[in-house]
Structures are given as C-alpha cells and as structure tokens.
Amino acid sequence: MEKENPIEEARRYVANAEEIIKKAEYDPELKSYTDSKYIKTAGDVLWKGCLIALDALLHVRKGKGRPSIEKYREAAGKRDRKLLNSVNIGYDTMHLSMGYDGNKDKRVCDAGFANARDIIDRCAMMMPAHASA
C-alpha cells in the first residue's frame, strides 16, 4: 500500500496513532495523560506517518543509510516555506516531545496530531494528482 499511495498510508498511521492514544488514561482535571508509554508510541507512529508523506514528496531517501532531519529540512525549505515550518514544529512536537520525552500534556498531544495532519495534507496538495489520489 505504501508505494501505491503514500498519502493514504501516512493517514493510516495517524489513524493508528489515534487508536493508541485512546488507550492512555486521561485526567481531565490535570488536562494530562497519566501514562507516557502510549504518548511515546503515538508520537513515534505520527512522525513515521509524516516521514512517509515527506519521502513521497521530497525523495530524500537516496543512497545508503537514513536521512537526517537536516536533509528533510533542506529539501522542505527548497520546496515550500510553510512545509519547512511544519516539519520543524512536527519534529519537535511528535518526535522529540511526544516520542522521546513522552510529554503527557494533552495540548502537546493534540498539537502533534494537528501538525501531522497538516504535514500530510500539505504533501498531498504539493504532489502530482496521480501520486496522492
């Protein structure tokens, strides 16, 4: 599925992350989740979904090894300033704050989901019609 329609695959990752975060207990008084395990997992899944969309648009994965965030930033900056801004925010929110730190603040998690959708939608909009359909 990933090679045929990377945008739909990326959106599937967001849907999977939504299912993961539903498992986390939420304390409405604190506006916070109680277990960082689910936050970390959801953040990782969100960021991986974004990378699928970014890879389809930017073609950063060439050669051996994994591309660094700097390569994504460079490629995004050459294409679109708004995409670059979303990548910077997404990396910080989804990958670092959620994925590594397990930030349990619901506002941070909500921002991560919103940013993932923004990145994927922007990639879809910038791709040729046949590639993102």
Side-chain angles (χ1 to χ4, degrees):
M1 177 186 243
E2 186 174 325
K3 291 186 185 213
E4 289 180 27
N5 194 330
I7 298 301
E8 287 306 312
E9 179 70 1
R11 288 183 175 135
R12 191 171 72 93
Y13 273 64
V14 173
N16 289 345
E18 287 172 341
E19 291 303 312
I20 292 165
I21 206 122
K22 285 179 184 176
K23 296 175 185 177
E25 272 189 54
Y26 176 68
D27 184 335
E29 186 178 329
L30 298 175
K31 295 182 178 148
S32 177
Y33 294 100
T34 59
D35 188 350
S36 64
K37 169 185 147 184
Y38 298 107
I39 306 311
K40 289 179 177 185
T41 304
D44 287 341
V45 171
L46 282 174
W47 184 241
K48 286 174 183 146
C50 290
L51 292 178
I52 289 170
L54 290 166
D55 287 339
L57 175 67
L58 302 175
H59 308 288
V60 174
R61 290 187 181 264
K62 294 178 184 172
K64 292 184 178 182
R66 293 181 201 126
S68 67
I69 186 60
E70 283 75 26
K71 290 197 184 227
Y72 284 101
R73 287 176 174 151
E74 182 181 332
K78 287 179 182 177
R79 287 294 299 261
D80 181 67
R81 183 176 54 93
K82 289 180 182 178
L83 180 60
L84 172 60
N85 188 53
S86 291
V87 167
N88 285 331
I89 292 168
Y91 180 78
D92 185 62
T93 305
M94 291 176 267
H95 186 60
L96 298 177
S97 293
M98 290 176 73
Y100 272 111
D101 300 336
N103 189 319
K104 297 183 272 187
D105 188 323
K106 186 174 186 317
R107 295 167 294 195
V108 171
C109 296
D110 289 347
F113 278 92
N115 189 243
R117 288 184 187 94
D118 180 58
I119 290 171
I120 294 165
D121 290 346
R122 183 161 293 283
C123 288
M125 179 184 74
M126 296 173 72
M127 289 175 65
H130 67 279
S132 63

